[in-house]
Amino acid sequence: MRFLVVDDSSTMRRIIINTLTKLGYKECHEAGNGREGFDKLATTPVDMVITDWNMPEMSGIEFIRAIRGNDATKTLPILMVTTNAAQDDIVEAMKAGVNNYVVKPFTPDTIKEKIEAALNAA
Amino acid sequence: MHVSEEVLTQLLSATEEVFETMVFKPVSRQDPIEDNSVRPPGNVVATVAFAGHRRGLVAFHSSLGTARTIAGAMLGMPAEAINGEMPDAIGEVANMIAGSFRTKLAALEPPSAIAIPTVTIGSDFSTKYLSQVNRVLCPFQMEDELIYIELILTGEPS
């Protein structure tokens, strides 16, 4: 299974990729914001996107809307990983089109459960 | 000036969670300090401001060596190999503590929003607050090292 991890924090990208590797997912691509991530999707096919919310240039919400608005990517499973955990935040992300939502800090077990749930929901 | 026990409990709990799950180095809480004259030692300060129902900031303080240890633990690298990665890692620690603190408080009261983290690295600097604030400094033991989480609240909740 192939992932695209999008976060402006290189530390958080590394933590997520290390977590995915430990879970047995070896093919992970990365991008530093939504714009970079959307451009990467045009050339790098993946099976799931994991994205942050607050990023420069193109936020996670804008990125998700761009994915859902593109015929080639509109059904791609998307997991959002963020510190934005208020009920209103989750509703906004779900409306934008995320399949599931992880609040930082998280454990590897949580990531595993949410990936499976996002795949089932897609 | 006083920070309520309920608010302090959320901050302590948020800090412990972040270190246990994301830094992979559990911390143990020490007695919080409410003396405004006490300044935490250290060369690395990461702050995240928040506004909304409450206004203020959460700040992380540590020595340079401790900050490198934390960054190394997060990235799965030896501390000696850490250099340019440290500010981003420490900013993310502060971001997660502030975010988790904000989420815990939002379960009890109207929410606040957090800003992006700012990291300052250097020596011979201090912070001065330009208005009356409620402040608490929370030391945590991480192995043989101390880190400090500071909470500043200004004004009354809206």
Side-chain angles (χ1 to χ4, degrees):
Chain A
M1 188 159 163
R2 301 159 299 179
F3 289 86
L4 174 62
V5 177
V6 184
D7 199 309
D8 59 324
S9 164
S10 57
T11 303
M12 194 47 61
R13 292 200 304 271
R14 183 51 42 202
I15 288 174
I16 293 170
I17 290 171
N18 286 349
T19 302
L20 292 171
T21 304
K22 279 181 197 161
L23 292 172
Y25 303 117
K26 306 292 184 196
E27 189 174 340
C28 300
H29 304 276
E30 54 187 296
N33 60 57
R35 170 71 53 209
E36 263 182 43
F38 194 67
D39 290 346
K40 190 155 267 186
L41 285 176
T43 57
T44 312
V46 298
D47 303 299
M48 180 176 280
V49 169
I50 298 181
T51 185
D52 184 25
W53 184 314
N54 298 307
M55 295 182 288
E57 282 197 56
M58 181 188 273
S59 74
I61 293 292
E62 292 167 330
F63 177 44
I64 291 161
R65 289 189 183 125
I67 290 172
R68 292 294 179 238
N70 183 301
D71 282 344
T73 57
K74 65 184 178 188
T75 60
L76 197 56
I78 305 172
L79 185 62
M80 180 161 255
V81 179
T82 177
T83 55
N84 294 0
Q87 193 60 37
D88 288 353
D89 297 329
I90 296 171
V91 169
E92 185 180 354
M94 290 297 179
K95 276 186 185 166
V98 296
N99 297 98
N100 219 309
Y101 201 88
V102 176
V103 178
K104 292 187 274 188
F106 56 79
T107 64
D109 284 347
T110 304
I111 289 281
K112 184 170 185 272
E113 284 168 21
K114 299 286 184 166
I115 286 171
E116 287 167 2
L119 288 172
N120 290 335
Chain B
M1 305 295 273
H2 183 69
V3 172
S4 75
E5 193 65 32
E6 187 176 56
V7 169
L8 180 60
T9 298
Q10 310 312 319
L11 180 69
L12 296 172
S13 169
T15 304
E16 288 169 339
E17 270 178 35
V18 168
F19 273 83
E20 183 162 349
T21 58
M22 305 303 285
V23 181
F24 314 111
K25 283 186 179 290
V27 291
S28 57
R29 54 178 86 170
Q30 313 290 301
D31 290 339
I33 302 163
E34 290 204 79
D35 179 349
N36 275 4
S37 65
V38 176
R39 293 285 173 258
N43 313 102
V44 180
V45 182
T47 61
V48 177
F50 52 88
H53 180 65
R54 291 182 187 274
R55 288 173 291 136
L57 64 84
V58 172
F60 164 98
H61 301 258
S62 82
S63 70
L64 201 53
T66 303
R68 286 198 178 116
T69 300
I70 290 168
M74 293 173 81
L75 294 166
M77 296 164 64
E80 307 77 53
I82 294 293
N83 195 9
E85 303 90 343
M86 186 271 282
D88 185 79
I90 297 303
E92 193 58 43
V93 168
N95 183 46
M96 287 189 288
I97 292 170
S100 181
F101 172 61
R102 171 240 193 204
T103 300
K104 289 174 186 298
L105 280 183
L108 308 170
E109 60 185 35
S112 302
I114 62 170
I116 57 172
T118 302
V119 181
T120 305
I121 301 163
S123 59
D124 197 21
F125 64 87
S126 63
T127 307
K128 185 165 177 57
Y129 309 111
L130 297 177
S131 59
Q132 283 288 91
V133 297
N134 297 329
R135 173 185 184 262
V136 64
L137 185 62
C138 305
F140 288 86
Q141 187 84 37
M142 187 191 77
E143 296 173 347
D144 295 334
E145 301 167 286
L146 273 179
I147 62 156
Y148 296 85
I149 304 299
E150 184 180 24
L151 175 65
I152 303 288
L153 295 172
T154 179
E156 295 298 319
S158 62

